[in-house]
Amino acid sequence: MSEKGPTPQERSAAARARLMAAASELFYKEGVSAVGIERVLEHAGVAKATLYSAFGSKEGLVRAYLRARHASTTERMARELEARYKTPKERLIGVFEVQGLSFTDPDFRGCAFLSTNAQVPPGWVDEETNDYRAWIHQLFFDLARQAGAKDPKTLAKQLVVLYDGAGISAWMDHDPSAETTARTVAAALVDAAVPG
């Protein structure tokens, strides 16, 4: 920042950040289809021109919102797995505990990718969704392989289904204990798949 105040680039970056924060809050809490762009702009305190210069359209903003959710999820998962667990086998089961950290949040509304895909026209967020899904499959596969699973691909598929189900159950049933249930089932699957 200069002595005369923020530069145009700094003001633009700050406005973009406010717009992303508003979109993230409103889209996740109320749904992409229920929140009009005017409401996001008002909540962010920015002009419509900021949206168009930064994201091009509501579709662009929705895509940016999902990319930010993905980045936040991957960063949190990596940080928490590293801090909490020592071995790949512990991390493989620990994924469910890390997932469950969000289940007790009063604003938890399930998977942002699932709800967004259900609300937007086909094709809008395919790339973002595919990237997210590839990441979750790869996370489980890598951990299963590192843990020494006899068939890491099959174990990863099983754990992905369990992960998805835990998130849906916690959201739809308003039941944070879905994490404990999923972790218990994951431990049984991992014990059966990992020798010794």
Side-chain angles (χ1 to χ4, degrees):
M1 186 187 313
S2 70
E3 290 179 16
K4 297 177 184 177
T7 66
Q9 292 84 1
E10 290 168 333
R11 284 193 302 273
S12 177
R16 186 184 193 284
R18 286 194 315 274
L19 190 54
M20 273 301 300
S24 292
E25 178 186 337
L26 295 171
F27 288 165
Y28 185 70
K29 186 175 182 180
E30 299 176 28
V32 169
S33 64
V35 176
I37 207 62
E38 293 298 330
R39 182 130 176 268
V40 175
L41 294 170
E42 181 183 326
H43 194 71
V46 300
K48 193 177 277 191
T50 302
L51 167 74
Y52 294 116
S53 68
F55 302 103
S57 64
K58 181 177 181 180
E59 179 182 348
L61 182 60
V62 170
R63 295 178 75 192
Y65 152 68
L66 288 179
R67 285 192 298 270
R69 295 285 305 189
H70 184 182
S72 172
T73 302
T74 57
E75 187 276 326
R76 181 181 193 182
M77 185 64 72
R79 181 184 69 241
E80 295 293 339
L81 288 178
E82 182 65 30
R84 293 168 179 260
Y85 310 101
K86 298 198 183 326
T87 68
K89 186 175 179 181
E90 290 173 350
R91 289 184 184 116
L92 192 52
I93 299 163
V95 168
F96 294 91
E97 186 174 4
V98 175
Q99 179 194 31
L101 295 174
S102 61
F103 294 173
T104 57
D105 184 333
D107 294 327
F108 179 68
R109 300 287 185 274
C111 175
F113 292 87
L114 176 65
S115 61
T116 300
N117 267 277
Q119 297 174 55
V120 299
W124 260 37
V125 294
D126 287 354
E127 182 180 339
E128 290 72 23
T129 300
N130 291 340
D131 287 349
Y132 173 75
R133 296 302 293 171
W135 167 76
I136 197 70
H137 281 271
Q138 194 66 48
L139 172 70
F140 280 116
F141 176 78
D142 289 346
L143 289 171
R145 188 178 41 75
Q146 292 165 16
K150 294 174 276 196
D151 183 353
K153 186 175 181 182
T154 297
L155 179 58
K157 282 182 170 183
Q158 292 168 338
L159 295 175
V160 167
V161 170
L162 187 57
Y163 183 92
D164 292 343
I168 291 170
S169 182
W171 171 39
M172 297 298 292
D173 299 335
H174 309 285
D175 182 11
S177 75
E179 176 269 320
T180 304
T181 304
R183 190 164 28 96
T184 301
V185 174
L189 289 169
V190 170
D191 285 344
V194 176

